[in-house]
Amino acid sequence: MRRPSWVPEDTDLDKPNAARVYDYYLGGSHNFEVDREMARKAMSMWPELPQIMRSNRAFLRRAVTFLAERGVTRFLDIGSGIPTFGAVHEIARAIRPEAEVVYVDRDPVAAAHSRLLMQDDPRSAVVQADLRDVEDLMARPEVTELLSAGEPVGVLLVAVAHFVSDDEDPWKLVGVIRDALPSGSALVLSHASLEARPDQAEDHQKLYRMTPTPLTMRTREQVTAMFAGFELVEPGVVHLPQWRPDQPDTVGEHPERIAGVAGVGFRP
């Protein structure tokens, strides 16, 4: 197949990619047939997956809006993927036109496409780095510059910590980020939930083991522990649709079917 201009030369187009699969779930165009095939297999086992992914993106929108309305103008989006369908800078600048964003992703396709989109935006930067090497990530010039003003920073770990295994200790990694943040900064985090659909969790995790980004689903208690050192805002760590919905009637009767939990916390 012809390689699109936004795809790096060394990208394996025959292997599914989590960022492109996510883009497909959102209705985007930055994906290939191998990604769509994986998505279709996943949806055959779990038909709600596109709804889950869109609910996750809706949570990101509500959380960024929440922070921007409270004066946050600096955002660090770790695991940003391909920034389609309402990227952080677009959401934040609708409220704070001066908002600055650093997008971080370990995937070369996501990073390359983000650079293409952001190349004419002086208040956005893109870093290819890995959350699992958090010291390297936090030492990147783009990140240190974002933090250097001492102003509150909104850190987004939206649908990314479940790609970190227990052995890689996501709780420790989040702690390193927390300790580098100025007072008043916030953590926005969502995570695949083990408790919501235990009958399907193992099959879904097996599917992601076929990719370079295997998935580790966790309990709400384990996810809540990632907010150590942050003060959770109401309603705490809840199912994705339950976090400050735009309208209460949009939550639905079974929010647990949207198999993810999310929360926002501030660093004192």
Side-chain angles (χ1 to χ4, degrees):
M1 65 173 292
R2 188 175 66 86
R3 183 181 299 270
S5 60
W6 53 271
V7 178
E9 287 296 326
D10 58 352
T11 301
D12 184 355
L13 301 184
D14 296 320
K15 196 165 189 175
N17 171 272
R20 298 194 306 257
V21 171
Y22 185 53
D23 176 73
Y24 175 71
Y25 286 138
L26 293 175
S29 59
H30 298 97
N31 52 77
F32 305 121
E33 179 55 33
V34 66
D35 308 304
R36 297 188 283 272
E37 181 181 355
M38 177 180 164
R40 287 190 290 267
K41 286 181 181 178
M43 287 187 290
S44 70
M45 296 186 293
W46 203 329
E48 298 95 338
L49 277 176
Q51 184 182 357
I52 292 169
M53 303 306 177
R54 290 166 189 165
S55 183
N56 188 70
R57 181 54 63 98
F59 161 71
L60 180 149
R61 175 184 55 77
R62 297 196 305 274
V64 171
T65 299
F66 174 81
L67 295 184
E69 288 177 343
R70 282 151 184 79
V72 176
T73 61
R74 293 169 179 257
F75 295 86
L76 177 60
D77 187 0
I78 301 174
S80 53
I82 300 172
T84 56
F85 292 93
V88 173
H89 68 283
E90 295 174 346
I91 301 165
R93 288 178 193 162
I95 301 164
R96 302 286 174 183
E98 72 276 24
E100 300 178 24
V101 183
V102 175
Y103 291 105
V104 179
D105 205 285
R106 71 176 183 174
D107 177 56
V109 171
H113 189 57
S114 298
R115 289 192 181 102
L116 182 65
L117 292 176
M118 297 294 105
Q119 62 183 347
D120 297 322
D121 186 337
R123 297 193 306 278
S124 294
V126 178
V127 175
Q128 185 181 340
D130 195 330
L131 172 61
R132 297 171 300 176
D133 189 358
V134 70
E135 288 83 4
D136 170 70
L137 190 163
M138 298 304 289
R140 296 298 184 92
E142 298 89 345
V143 177
T144 58
E145 183 177 350
L146 190 74
L147 298 172
S148 64
E151 298 176 5
V153 175
V155 176
L156 286 80
L157 292 174
V158 176
V160 65
H162 48 233
F163 293 121
V164 180
S165 70
D166 287 347
D167 289 343
E168 292 162 333
D169 199 345
W171 301 275
K172 180 180 178 181
L173 300 180
V174 174
V176 172
I177 296 171
R178 177 200 63 222
D179 292 346
L181 297 177
S183 176
S185 294
L187 173 65
V188 175
L189 187 145
S190 67
H191 197 292
S193 170
L194 189 61
E195 297 157 316
R197 298 295 297 273
D199 56 318
Q200 296 176 336
E202 182 54 33
D203 285 343
H204 193 55
Q205 290 178 105
K206 282 181 181 178
L207 191 66
Y208 268 84
R209 291 185 197 122
M210 298 165 49
T211 78
T213 50
L215 184 73
T216 301
M217 303 174 82
R218 296 186 171 96
T219 66
R220 186 185 303 193
E221 182 180 5
Q222 289 174 311
V223 175
T224 301
M226 295 181 187
F227 284 94
F230 292 92
E231 296 179 352
L232 279 165
V233 301
E234 291 295 334
V237 176
V238 294
H239 296 296
L240 283 165
Q242 295 176 316
W243 197 88
R244 295 179 178 260
D246 295 328
Q247 297 178 346
D249 59 2
T250 62
V251 173
E253 294 183 3
H254 297 284
E256 74 280 359
R257 290 182 181 173
I258 305 301
V261 294
V264 175
F266 284 96
R267 186 181 184 198

